[in-house]
Amino acid sequence: MSLPDSSLRERFKVGTKVLFSVMLCWFAIASSACAGGPRWVTGPPYFTTSDAPVVWYTNQPLYFTDPGDLSATVNHAAADAIVAAAAAVWNVPTASLVLSQGGALDEHVSGANTFLGSNGLIFPADVQSSNYLTKQIAVIYDSDGSVTDLLLGNGASNPSGCRQNGVTESVDSIVPAGFIQHALLILNGRCTGPDPEQQMQLQYQLMRAFGRVLGLGWSQTNDNVFTDSPQPTANQALHWPVMHPIDIICGPYTYQCMPQPFTLRPDDLSALAQLYFIAQGTAAAGKMDSLLNANLLVGHISFPTGEGMQGVNVVVRRWQQYTLATQIEDWYSVSSVSGALFRQSNGNPVTGPDPSFTGTEGTTDSQYEGYYDIERVPMLPGDWQVLIVETEPVNPLYTGQYAVGPYVANTVAPSGSDPVLAEGLYGSYTEGYVDFSTTNPASTCSTGADGTEAAPVAAASQGWWSGLLCGYGHSAWSSLAVKANRSVTVEVTAEDEQGSTTTAKAMPVIGLWNSTDALGSLPGVAAAGTAFNGVANGMTTLSASFTQPDQLRIAIADQRGDGRPDFNYQARVLYADSLAPSTVSAAGGTVTITGMGFRTGNTVTVNGVAATVLSWSANTIVATVPSIHALGSNTGLVADVVVTDLSTGGTTVMRHSLNYAAPVAVLSLVSAPSGLVQVAQTASTPFAVKVLSGDGVTPVVGEVVTFTATTGSVLFAACGAASCTLSTDTNGMVSTLVTPLSAGTITLQAAGVDGTVDASFNAAVRVQTVTAVQAIEYIAAGATVAWTPQVSVADNFASTTGLSVGWLAISGPVLVATSSSQVNAQGIAQTLATAGPLVAGEQAVLSACAWMNICASFTTQGVDLAELRLVAVSGAGQTVSADGTFTPVVLQVTDTSYHPVAGAAVQIYQTVDAWQPACPDRGRCPIAPILTASQSSAVSDVNGIVTIVPQQISGIVETTNLAVATGTQGFISLTLQKEP
């Protein structure tokens, strides 16, 4: 990026000319704040120059004091001493400015000779701006506060407001060439008193006011002194500039909160040098070159797109030559805000060009958009120093009359994170130029999808879209067709580059035009020209209503006319277009609203009465609208439908869009049997209906209603028949109990002159069952076995949990431990039984009964020992390593039909042999020695299972042989291997 014209400081060599002056509005000038250096910067259309700080037309302006006393306790001489001390602070050797007293005003200025005219206060002739050649700065001693009250409003001079109104300043003449011609300083005498601290406070305020009158803006350097985060050091406090925007309040007098309050800081001197620069070799007597033993640092902060980044506070620390990095100063010496010379307010399509004084300040030359200018960095002892350049955001409190930098209405957070740069080996008179970017700033400026004023793009069909106001002065244009008797709300929410809502980036404004409005005209339909007027954070909102169909142009712009790669936004058009069906009965009904910009949580009202929303999407809302009676009407009507977003306050109205039919009497269902009902048992819920008149409240008495069953067979208790005709009572009600006579689906119907209703339920015959879980148990002949018989108890109409089940031995050698037990939550009842001994083929029987007579039986049967067999269930054929372990072997005893047999005696034989490799091809196979042997016995359980733990020797290779026998024919042998 090219550097700005280096002739900037040359302008101050221009001799004084007699120029046409303009009287500027008192408050417009008093509150204007560019700051971070100059208070005002020239630019079109008012100024004839651009990008130059506004300074005095002479570098030796004179002030003239009021000839009267300041107050009863501060006479004229004492007051002049206060003024002289405050003015003397600004007479420094490094700036060409010489501020001194020129004499006295012609009269004591007060409410007696000052009055309010149509264009502001009218002062005595010698105090007016037209007298600037004779008296440049008029210092008024407002002894009774009357002038302050005239200027700021009745009561403004009250001592309780002295922090704000102790001194009032105004620059009331600035000419198009960019020079200050005249200014006033009004000292409120009511802010003085017997305590010397009161006069010191007034002197402190006057000193700062002189800085403003001379053209200095506010500055942010070591701002933690103001915020107290982090807690400031003594050096940071000593380098907090006199021209800080807002005082610290630490007691009744703010000057006491600042060490050495009447000494300019390096940052103040740098700002003063920017306005009243002394070029090398041009210093007058008593002055010195501005850059003698000092450095100048200028440059640009830019986005990767090349656009300058405004509003970034550039701060500098110093690093003395030949010292360690640990010796870098821990305070900032000077600062400058990027873009301070650039356009403050560019205007926008919604509000048009900015007619205020702010709208003419600053150049439109884009090379100044991210330009910063630190005019004077004093040198530490030595021949050179390194400058540590850093950036920080401007404190968001510094807006309006306290603004620091080009953003007056609202601060803008820098994009990316703050870098730390070590720059140069700077000696006396060195002028450094450093262009840089922050770390990871927004890097795209893609606005190709945006429409233009002449060719707007259609608004997104869902009513939601994201955009970017990128490029200085950029605006985005959309189009939207609306129907008659509709309203629309447009919402724009500012976002940062991460998509988070913010008020520290773009300041969105919105305009609506008819498509036929002339290009370049102000909005012909509606405008939101002030950002963030919505209830939601970071949101600007605009609503408009239409009586006729319209095609709209929608513009989104920045209030300041700015545009940057980090000015993201989300736009929304909330618009309800149509309704289906558009006519409902007096009882209301379900409707679908079609439009755009809807979301979950949006509410719907009909003539102010809430509807029940059933579902949402971006383009549809399905809702059940209230009855006409809920709307307070007994006749048909056409209602308004309103969709509201409670989180933003946005609404869209469809006027006269929903037709309600005239009310008619309605027969409706009150109750009916449901679910499963037992055949031949009367249902507990009656079949009941109600007939109400068209208002939905008044009952219809005496209407004949006929009850029938259109499916299945029933008996209506009220008539004792399959069909029943009754009349409504005084409540409009009629009902009867119902007994189903057939199984299956039963459909009931109630019919009258005002309607028919149906209701259905299922009927079934009751079924109760008791089922043995295992109906037969096989036991070895001669054995006695204990087992747990179980039954499953079920009822298709009722839970069986807790039902009592009786147990009874019927025949043979069988006993039960308890004669009854209860059904558990799983529908199972059980008891403990013992059967045997039985001979082969003999049976013993027991039974389990519920509900007295619904039973299941259990049979135990003796099995001949010759029929017993052994079956391997698991663990056979195991082969493991030497350090492994065999798992248990599980066998089952069965009969020849593979029924498990309980109570069978089982003999178990085990040997552990040394492991042998495979036999050789020739010769005898060696016989492995037996390492150990064992014999044991077991009895099969109720499932015929026998579990055997294999005998084994830990840690060696071996072979375990098992031989197991039961009865006279049951036998099985197994071999388990531990191999190397």
Side-chain angles (χ1 to χ4, degrees):
M1 178 178 288
S2 61
L3 290 168
D5 188 351
S6 62
S7 64
L8 174 65
R9 291 183 292 279
E10 296 300 312
R11 200 208 63 176
F12 304 124
K13 298 179 181 178
V14 176
T16 303
K17 298 179 181 179
V18 179
L19 300 170
F20 172 74
S21 65
V22 58
M23 287 299 294
L24 300 168
C25 171
W26 184 291
F27 287 108
I29 295 301
S31 64
S32 183
C34 180
R39 182 178 183 181
W40 301 289
V41 179
T42 62
Y46 175 72
F47 291 104
T48 57
T49 63
S50 281
D51 65 61
V54 174
V55 298
W56 276 89
Y57 73 92
T58 172
N59 62 3
Q60 295 183 2
L62 301 175
Y63 67 85
F64 295 79
T65 60
D66 193 305
D69 294 335
L70 180 55
S71 67
T73 55
V74 180
N75 62 23
H76 174 75
D80 276 6
I82 291 173
V83 177
V89 171
W90 297 101
N91 291 319
V92 297
T94 55
S96 63
L97 176 81
V98 177
L99 179 62
S100 58
Q101 184 171 9
L105 301 177
D106 294 345
E107 64 284 300
H108 174 56
V109 181
S110 69
N113 54 21
T114 303
F115 58 92
L116 187 62
S118 59
N119 294 319
L121 291 185
I122 298 177
F123 291 96
D126 71 316
V127 180
Q128 295 179 15
S129 61
S130 58
N131 193 37
Y132 75 94
L133 287 174
T134 303
K135 296 177 180 177
Q136 290 84 48
I137 303 173
V139 182
I140 297 170
Y141 296 160
D142 186 14
S143 56
D144 60 359
S146 58
V147 178
T148 300
D149 287 343
L150 274 174
L151 181 63
L152 303 180
N154 288 335
S157 66
N158 190 290
S160 64
C162 284
R163 284 200 185 101
Q164 293 76 37
N165 303 328
V167 177
T168 305
E169 55 85 10
S170 173
V171 175
D172 58 351
S173 180
I174 297 178
V175 294
F179 292 109
I180 303 169
Q181 287 187 331
H182 190 263
L184 300 99
L185 289 165
I186 302 169
L187 280 61
N188 182 1
R190 299 181 68 187
C191 294
T192 63
D195 296 333
E197 290 86 357
Q198 292 176 278
Q199 282 67 259
M200 292 293 288
Q201 177 68 18
L202 197 70
Q203 177 183 327
Y204 169 77
Q205 291 174 299
L206 180 59
M207 172 190 65
R208 282 164 51 83
F210 265 123
R212 299 287 281 170
V213 164
L214 295 175
L216 273 75
W218 302 123
S219 179
Q220 175 180 304
T221 309
N222 299 303
D223 198 48
N224 63 310
V225 177
F226 173 69
T227 64
D228 200 39
S229 178
Q231 187 172 359
T233 65
N235 276 321
Q236 288 168 340
L238 283 169
H239 288 79
W240 189 43
V242 165
M243 296 305 292
H244 57 265
I246 304 173
D247 270 343
I248 300 171
I249 299 176
C250 63
Y253 306 110
T254 57
Y255 80 91
Q256 295 176 337
C257 308
M258 188 175 185
Q260 302 178 23
F262 300 104
T263 301
L264 295 184
R265 279 37 175 180
D267 190 68
D268 300 309
L269 296 173
S270 177
L272 195 60
Q274 185 178 6
L275 272 63
Y276 303 98
F277 187 78
I278 302 174
Q280 187 171 358
T282 64
K287 297 290 184 177
M288 57 184 279
D289 298 345
S290 292
L291 292 182
L292 177 62
N293 295 322
N295 318 136
L296 178 146
L297 182 68
V298 297
H300 301 85
I301 304 176
S302 302
F303 289 94
T305 60
E307 182 178 354
M309 187 185 300
Q310 296 188 75
V312 182
N313 199 39
V314 181
V315 288
V316 172
R317 293 184 289 145
R318 300 176 298 176
W319 184 0
Q320 188 174 6
Q321 65 180 30
Y322 306 124
T323 61
L324 298 175
T326 55
Q327 301 302 308
I328 298 173
E329 292 176 335
D330 65 352
W331 63 89
Y332 298 118
S333 291
V334 289
S335 68
S336 173
V337 179
S338 63
L341 303 181
F342 192 61
R343 199 68 164 175
Q344 284 192 25
S345 178
N346 193 42
N348 60 75
V350 177
T351 59
D354 187 344
S356 70
F357 189 72
T358 300
T360 197
E361 287 192 71
T363 180
T364 57
D365 187 343
S366 62
Q367 67 179 328
Y368 286 93
E369 189 172 2
Y371 180 72
Y372 67 92
D373 182 350
I374 298 176
E375 200 72 15
R376 187 177 190 278
V377 186
M379 289 187 61
L380 292 166
D383 298 325
W384 54 268
Q385 64 184 0
V386 175
L387 303 183
I388 307 300
V389 182
E390 302 177 43
T391 63
E392 64 181 10
V394 174
N395 189 322
L397 292 177
Y398 300 156
T399 61
Q401 63 178 319
Y402 303 111
V404 175
Y407 291 118
V408 176
N410 207 44
T411 60
V412 176
S415 180
S417 55
D418 300 319
V420 178
L421 308 173
E423 290 298 329
L425 300 175
Y426 289 179
S428 183
Y429 292 104
T430 300
E431 298 186 13
Y433 301 89
V434 179
D435 292 347
F436 64 95
S437 293
T438 57
T439 304
N440 297 320
S443 58
T444 61
C445 189
S446 177
T447 58
D450 287 356
T452 63
E453 183 179 16
V457 297
S461 60
Q462 291 190 328
W464 300 85
W465 71 94
S466 296
L468 180 64
L469 293 175
C470 187
Y472 193 76
H474 178 75
S475 54
W477 293 80
S478 305
S479 64
L480 177 70
V482 295
K483 291 181 177 178
N485 297 317
R486 299 291 188 267
S487 77
V488 63
T489 295
V490 182
E491 299 171 346
V492 180
T493 302
E495 296 180 337
D496 62 19
E497 51 269 58
Q498 283 76 43
S500 299
T501 299
T502 182
T503 57
K505 294 292 185 181
M507 297 179 67
V509 292
I510 310 167
L512 296 179
W513 288 257
N514 300 299
S515 61
T516 55
D517 290 339
L519 300 181
S521 64
L522 293 177
V525 177
T530 301
F532 309 134
N533 63 343
V535 298
N537 181 48
M539 177 178 288
T540 304
T541 182
L542 175 64
S543 297
S545 300
F546 304 88
T547 58
Q548 300 297 324
D550 205 347
Q551 183 72 30
L552 301 176
R553 292 201 306 265
I554 305 171
I556 300 171
D558 180 72
Q559 180 177 320
R560 301 154 296 209
D562 200 358
R564 303 171 25 148
D566 57 346
F567 276 16
N568 295 273
Y569 67 86
Q570 184 180 80
R572 174 199 193 186
V573 172
L574 178 60
Y575 171 61
D577 182 78
S578 60
L579 193 66
S582 59
T583 300
V584 294
S585 70
T590 299
V591 298
T592 299
I593 302 169
T594 301
M596 60 173 53
F598 304 146
R599 63 177 168 184
T600 300
N602 289 170
T603 64
V604 176
T605 57
V606 180
N607 277 8
V609 179
T612 301
V613 179
L614 305 177
S615 66
W616 299 265
S617 73
N619 295 112
T620 60
I621 294 177
V622 179
T624 301
V625 297
S627 68
I628 201 170
H629 174 72
L631 303 185
S633 177
N634 293 322
T635 61
L637 56 80
V638 181
D640 297 342
V641 177
V642 180
V643 176
T644 303
D645 189 319
L646 297 178
S647 64
T648 66
T651 62
T652 175
V653 181
M654 295 187 291
R655 290 182 56 80
H656 309 308
S657 58
L658 181 59
N659 294 279
Y660 275 85
V664 294
V666 176
L667 184 150
S668 60
L669 179 67
V670 175
S671 65
S674 61
L676 187 65
V677 179
Q678 186 176 343
V679 172
Q681 294 290 322
T682 300
S684 60
T685 302
F687 187 25
V689 296
K690 177 187 287 187
V691 183
L692 298 177
S693 60
D695 63 6
V697 175
T698 305
V700 175
V701 181
E703 180 168 328
V704 174
V705 177
T706 300
F707 295 96
T708 57
T710 58
T711 302
S713 176
V714 301
L715 180 71
F716 293 105
C719 301
S723 177
C724 190
T725 300
L726 302 169
S727 297
T728 56
D729 61 15
T730 56
N731 295 315
M733 292 274 293
V734 61
S735 66
T736 179
L737 292 172
V738 180
T739 302
L741 302 178
S742 62
T745 301
I746 304 292
T747 302
L748 305 177
Q749 186 177 86
V753 296
D754 290 316
T756 300
V757 295
D758 294 300
S760 296
F761 64 93
N762 290 316
V765 176
R766 188 169 191 175
V767 177
Q768 298 171 321
T769 60
V770 177
T771 306
V773 174
Q774 182 178 329
I776 188 167
E777 181 76 21
Y778 295 90
I779 66 176
T784 299
V785 175
W787 92 105
T788 304
Q790 295 180 323
V791 289
S792 174
V793 183
D795 187 335
N796 64 340
F797 276 94
S799 170
T800 60
T801 300
L803 184 67
S804 179
V805 173
W807 300 88
L808 180 65
I810 302 300
S811 64
V814 61
L815 298 173
V816 292
T818 58
S819 60
S820 67
S821 63
Q822 292 184 326
V823 179
N824 63 20
Q826 289 72 44
I828 300 295
Q830 64 185 29
T831 190
L832 180 64
T834 304
L838 297 172
V839 298
E842 183 182 6
Q843 292 182 339
V845 179
L846 62 83
S847 68
C849 298
W851 302 290
M852 302 298 294
N853 58 357
I854 299 177
C855 303
S857 62
F858 296 84
T859 301
T860 57
Q861 181 169 319
V863 178
D864 194 313
L865 299 183
E867 295 184 4
L868 299 183
R869 300 293 186 267
L870 284 168
V871 177
V873 176
S874 64
Q878 297 181 63
T879 300
V880 299
S881 62
D883 57 354
T885 302
F886 295 130
T887 60
V889 175
V890 178
L891 306 178
Q892 186 177 46
V893 180
T894 71
D895 62 11
T896 55
S897 297
Y898 299 102
H899 299 129
V901 177
V906 177
Q907 300 300 318
I908 304 164
Y909 304 91
Q910 298 189 64
T911 63
V912 178
D913 300 344
W915 180 83
Q916 290 289 344
C919 292
D921 293 337
R922 297 183 179 182
R924 296 176 59 189
C925 186
I927 298 175
I930 296 176
L931 302 178
T932 186
S934 66
Q935 179 177 342
S936 60
S937 62
V939 177
S940 61
D941 64 14
V942 293
N943 295 309
I945 296 297
V946 175
T947 300
I948 303 170
V949 177
Q951 190 172 7
Q952 54 194 307
I953 299 174
S954 178
I956 67 169
V957 293
E958 47 99 338
T959 300
T960 297
N961 300 297
L962 293 90
V964 184
T966 185
T968 60
Q969 303 294 324
F971 178 79
I972 190 170
S973 64
L974 303 172
T975 299
L976 313 179
Q977 295 278 352
K978 281 189 178 182
E979 297 181 344

